[in-house]
Amino acid sequence: MNCVECENNLVFYLYGELPAEVEESMEQHLDGCAGCRAQETRLANMHRAIEAERLEPSLELLSACRQDLAVSLRAVTEQSDSGWRRWLRPLDIPGWSWRLAGCTALVAVGFLAARALPGSAAKGIGGEQPVVSAVSHVEKMGDGLVRIVLQDSVARELSGRLDDQAVQSLLLAAARNTVDPAIRVDALDLLRGGISSPEVRDTLLAALRKDPNDGVRMKALESLRPLAGEPQVRAVLLDALREDRNAMVRANAVDVLTMGNAQNSELAGALQELMQREENLDVRRQGQRVLRSMNASLETF
Amino acid sequence: MDEASLIRAAQRGDEDAFAVLVRAHDQSVLRIALNLLRSPEDARDVYQETFLRVHRSLQQFRFDCNFSTWLHRIATNICLDHLRRRKVRRESPRVASVSSGQEIDPLDTVAEPRADSDPQRRVLSEELRGRIQAVLRELSPRERVVFEMRHFEGMRLRAIGEALGTSEEAAKNCLFRATQKMRSALGEFV
């Protein structure tokens, strides 16, 4: 490779966008050419200067955006549900007749009336408690009848200390099973206080391994920090470093893994592997820094 | 529930599933918009417009690419429209208003921990920052999108090409041009 080719490839070299054989030629050329090496240093300095201009949205901005969107989506939903056709939307199955739709409406009206009237079939549900109903099944039965299965849930409020077994069980269930990731994050955050419990530790490890939400995995990772020296925890942290799709999680995994035991040969191996394929500049730099601090080479050979 | 199941549920009108999808991806959309437009207000508009458009068009998503690629395509197209409108208007620089002789930078409302935690560096690099901002504004909208997606989001050129509906080669050319402009403008500083 000559200096002109090197100059033309320098940008892509620093971004890790070159094929392996071209990257190797670049490195050989840079090792022997002080002028090109100086250009590389200047370009790397420029990258660092630009990196400092990266903006992270504040939580307030994110929260304001989410509120705006919730309001707009509510308006959109109400607008599209404003007509009588909304009764048909959940039962939008090809072939259903208008007569059947009429029956459906009557069933719904009858159901609502039954709930509202004292002494009706719905009286088993506490009258004062708020009830949330969700349709879990609808079925055409013939003779113009439909069958609808509703799952009723009653909202209840509980309070208790974090060391209360019942409170902890509910938090563990919330961390594992709730659909809303924000509730999972809050539950994991509260569970940090009970990290000595094997159940809490297992829940945190499971969240880091397989929760689909980046924020939940980040929270689990942070919560596991005090246990970073335990072999089982380190194994999951190393998996996160190797496989997590989110760069922030990978970067934080490096950070947590280096706590206390920077001479870990397994960590060095994992970082060297990571250097082969990591695309994110921050994670690459962090990995390189740790490898240098361990006096380890930056790659596997 | 995995992402494909969530998307299918949202396509059937499940608003809770849609909310989970939004929460999984909205920080990255907001970060892209904020870095591209360098204005919290504009980023807020882009966030809103992106997810409303996704909500409207979700039925058209056919799983022939990643959901995040599809979402980024929508978000970056909206950002590109904003940038093009700015180019036409030759929008005023980032310092938005002057009050009692004091310039107010709207980006001060944005979390910027690295800069804030080292005020000395912030003062020393003020001129360099100004130069970087000036060059970013002078890039063509497409160059800017490619540059910021590669540099700030760490996206591969292939993924950027997909998000912009263009080829990897075209994205590569944009990145090269943007970097050359940066180098020539910042040459004496680095």
Side-chain angles (χ1 to χ4, degrees), chain A residues 165-180 183-184 187-188 191 199-200 203 211:
Chain A
Q165 194 59 43
V167 170
Q168 199 174 92
S169 298
L170 285 170
L171 287 173
L172 286 166
R176 289 181 192 132
N177 304 323
T178 317
V179 173
D180 184 347
I183 294 177
R184 298 203 298 279
L188 289 178
L191 285 167
E199 255 191 313
V200 171
T203 302
D211 196 287

Side-chain angles (χ1 to χ4, degrees), chain A residues 8 24 66 142 204 221 235 243 248:
Chain A
N8 287 337
E24 202 173 321
R66 285 175 175 172
L204 290 167
L221 180 62
E243 291 164 16
M248 286 285 282

Side-chain angles (χ1 to χ4, degrees), chain A residues 7-8 12 15-17 39 42 47 49-51 53-56 65-66 68-69 72 179 182 279, chain B residues 20 23 26 31 35 38 44 47-48 110-111 128-129 133 150-152 156-157 172 176 183 187:
Chain A
E7 165 71 18
N8 287 337
F12 308 112
Y15 282 122
E17 288 277 359
Q39 284 298 323
R42 288 183 70 202
H47 276 198
I50 296 168
E51 188 62 25
E53 293 302 302
R54 176 181 171 148
L55 300 173
E56 276 300 323
C65 287
R66 285 175 175 172
D68 290 347
L69 184 65
S72 300
V179 173
E279 296 171 359
Chain B
V20 175
R23 293 265 175 149
D26 66 347
R31 191 169 54 241
N35 278 293
R38 319 297 287 186
R44 196 168 163 173
Y47 177 106
Q48 171 100 332
V110 171
L128 177 58
R129 288 188 67 194
Q133 295 301 329
R150 186 65 190 91
H151 200 86
F152 293 141
R156 298 297 302 226
L157 284 168
K172 193 174 174 181
F176 188 77
R183 286 174 83 180

Side-chain angles (χ1 to χ4, degrees), chain A residues 37-295:
Chain A
R37 179 62 80 187
Q39 284 298 323
E40 188 226 348
T41 306
R42 288 183 70 202
L43 194 55
N45 287 342
M46 189 184 90
H47 276 198
R48 272 190 289 278
I50 296 168
E51 188 62 25
E53 293 302 302
R54 176 181 171 148
L55 300 173
E56 276 300 323
S58 65
L59 285 176
E60 290 77 17
L61 180 60
L62 182 64
S63 168
C65 287
R66 285 175 175 172
Q67 281 173 24
D68 290 347
L69 184 65
V71 171
S72 300
L73 286 176
R74 210 159 31 239
V76 168
T77 311
E78 280 167 9
Q79 200 177 12
S80 63
D81 283 353
S82 61
W84 56 269
R85 282 173 189 274
R86 69 180 182 269
W87 294 104
L88 297 179
R89 245 172 43 123
L91 303 165
D92 189 15
I93 301 166
W96 280 51
S97 67
W98 293 114
R99 197 176 61 174
L100 191 55
C103 293
T104 309
L106 286 176
V107 169
V109 170
F111 178 77
L112 290 171
R115 289 178 90 68
L117 293 170
S120 71
K123 68 182 176 185
I125 297 168
E128 298 303 313
Q129 288 171 312
V131 179
V132 179
S133 295
V135 176
S136 62
H137 182 77
V138 291
E139 185 183 347
K140 183 180 174 184
M141 293 179 69
D143 295 334
L145 294 175
V146 291
R147 177 171 165 257
I148 300 172
V149 179
L150 284 146
Q151 302 284 343
D152 289 349
S153 55
V154 182
R156 280 197 297 156
E157 195 174 304
L158 298 171
S159 57
R161 295 177 57 81
L162 276 169
D163 53 7
D164 184 316
Q165 194 59 43
V167 170
Q168 199 174 92
S169 298
L170 285 170
L171 287 173
L172 286 166
R176 289 181 192 132
N177 304 323
T178 317
V179 173
D180 184 347
I183 294 177
R184 298 203 298 279
V185 167
D186 288 343
L188 289 178
D189 193 40
L190 288 168
L191 285 167
R192 290 165 84 156
I195 196 151
S196 54
S197 145
E199 255 191 313
V200 171
R201 191 193 55 185
D202 290 348
T203 302
L204 290 167
L205 290 173
L208 177 57
R209 257 198 320 261
K210 57 188 183 190
D211 196 287
N213 184 277
D214 297 346
V216 177
R217 295 199 308 284
M218 276 292 286
K219 176 58 74 180
L221 180 62
E222 279 304 312
S223 306
L224 286 164
R225 195 176 275 271
L227 304 180
E230 288 190 11
Q232 192 194 351
V233 175
R234 287 187 81 73
V236 178
L237 290 169
L238 283 165
D239 285 345
L241 173 63
R242 291 186 187 106
E243 291 164 16
D244 199 284
R245 65 170 188 270
N246 183 286
M248 286 285 282
V249 175
R250 296 197 298 278
N252 275 278
V254 177
D255 189 38
V256 175
L257 278 162
T258 49
M259 287 176 59
N261 186 5
Q263 296 304 315
N264 186 314
S265 60
E266 205 178 2
L267 173 59
L271 286 171
Q272 285 164 339
E273 269 177 46
L274 189 72
M275 291 301 105
Q276 303 291 313
R277 58 174 198 279
E278 179 60 57
E279 296 171 359
N280 183 281
L281 278 178
D282 286 340
V283 183
R284 283 186 74 85
R285 284 179 191 143
Q286 195 173 0
Q288 286 166 352
R289 184 173 48 76
V290 173
L291 283 169
R292 283 194 195 100
S293 75
M294 292 170 150
N295 290 324

Side-chain angles (χ1 to χ4, degrees), chain B residues 23-35:
Chain B
R23 293 265 175 149
H25 294 280
D26 66 347
Q27 289 187 50
S28 111
V29 166
L30 187 59
R31 191 169 54 241
I32 287 174
L34 186 61
N35 278 293

